[in-house]
Amino acid sequence: MGLSIPLSAAALRAGALEVVVLGGHLLLYPTGVCQEKVTHKAPEKGAGPVVADAPAARPPALLLHGFSDNRSVFVLLRRALGADGRRHVEAYNYSPFTRDLRVTARHLARRVEELCARTGQERVDLVGHSLGGLVGRYYVQRLGGDARVRTLVTLGTPHSGTLVAPFMDAHPLVRQMRPDSEVLAELAAPAPGCATRCVAFWSEFDVVMAPVGTARIEHPDLRVENVQVTGIGHLALPAHPAVIAAVRRALDGPGLAAVERSGAASVA
């Protein structure tokens, strides 16, 4: 299944779009440096759980940014996911000094518990871009997060490891994203009974993924939908309208089966 644009000049368009997205993101980056303020108060002691605004209220969504990034990358995606007012959406800034994604995954576990307590929901959805997807997956597979996470969506995440930028191997987080890392070996281990549904978006124009297929999830124990995106690069994945619409479908309804039945969606 996939989302596509006509292949003629696709690489050129993807590259030009990456430049535009990078410029916009550099302007927005300072706005996302600080951790966002939560908008729900925790229930008073003895008051019981918070009741969702409507019986059909969707699980809250928590967005996880990538390496050396922050929550500003999700400006458009966040707005779209919360547009109808039936889903609480937050973006989580993990520390820029993080040296081990497993530590960040443990911090994420606490943030998810706190989010569930504030919203009165039993489960949440996670959307991770790049490294953020690995953090979410580690939480789901290795820390029991599948009890809390209904759906994990990853955008350009190196699930099998990436070989790009070998000169950056001095950074411990980069080493954890290499194919032979201990973290990826843990994620390749059996995960029987994992209750979380996974949706992994990948693109042949994602130059951060080497090889590009590494952004697919290949694991026999996981419920996975791998969605190929054509004509979109790494930086544009969380900002492109077609991807945003597909993420909404993945979280709102029966998933991406409709895309598969109707064929590739066209992106102008």
Side-chain angles (χ1 to χ4, degrees):
M1 65 180 73
L3 305 169
S4 65
I5 63 173
L7 290 179
S8 57
L12 180 61
R13 293 186 185 184
L17 181 59
E18 288 288 274
V19 173
V20 172
V21 172
L22 176 60
H25 187 42
L26 289 176
L27 292 175
L28 290 172
Y29 191 93
T31 68
V33 170
C34 297
Q35 193 73 262
E36 71 173 317
K37 296 179 180 179
V38 298
T39 57
H40 287 67
K41 294 182 179 179
E44 296 180 4
K45 187 175 181 180
V50 176
V51 178
D53 293 338
R58 301 181 178 103
L62 190 58
L63 314 180
L64 310 170
H65 62 78
F67 176 68
S68 73
D69 212 337
N70 64 39
R71 60 187 175 88
S72 62
V73 72
F74 293 121
V75 168
L76 298 179
L77 178 60
R78 176 175 182 161
R79 183 181 303 165
L81 292 181
D84 61 5
R86 297 182 64 199
R87 175 189 289 110
H88 181 73
V89 185
E90 293 182 5
Y92 175 48
N93 269 8
Y94 51 85
S95 172
F97 303 108
T98 296
R99 298 175 61 84
D100 189 335
L101 71 82
R102 293 167 292 195
V103 173
T104 301
R106 289 194 285 272
H107 293 163
L108 171 62
R110 292 194 289 270
R111 178 61 180 268
V112 168
E113 291 300 319
E114 185 263 343
L115 178 57
C116 288
R118 280 191 287 110
T119 60
Q121 295 278 3
E122 293 295 321
R123 306 193 81 188
V124 305
D125 293 325
L126 298 180
V127 181
H129 179 231
S130 198
L131 175 64
L134 277 185
V135 172
R137 184 177 166 192
Y138 193 91
Y139 166 55
V140 164
Q141 278 188 242
R142 306 296 297 179
L143 302 178
D146 64 316
R148 283 297 195 192
V149 179
R150 183 188 66 155
T151 301
L152 168 66
V153 174
T154 66
L155 308 171
T157 291
H159 291 289
S160 300
T162 178
L163 298 172
V164 75
F167 57 88
M168 293 184 65
D169 279 353
H171 198 294
L173 274 182
V174 173
R175 292 199 300 271
Q176 289 184 331
M177 290 187 282
R178 297 307 189 199
D180 58 352
S181 76
E182 182 179 303
V183 167
L184 293 186
E186 291 183 60
L187 292 178
C194 184
T196 297
R197 168 174 163 260
C198 301
V199 182
F201 289 82
W202 66 283
S203 171
E204 77 272 37
F205 293 113
D206 186 341
V207 297
V208 177
M209 299 297 105
V212 293
T214 192
R216 297 169 53 91
I217 298 178
E218 306 288 353
H219 195 295
D221 294 332
L222 301 182
R223 296 188 296 132
V224 179
E225 295 174 72
N226 288 305
V227 183
Q228 182 178 2
V229 178
T230 299
I232 301 172
H234 187 76
L235 295 176
L237 282 169
H240 196 285
V243 179
I244 290 174
V247 171
R248 283 195 63 179
R249 287 196 296 272
L251 300 184
D252 288 352
L256 294 163
V259 176
E260 185 177 30
R261 286 195 300 269
S262 61
S266 177
V267 180

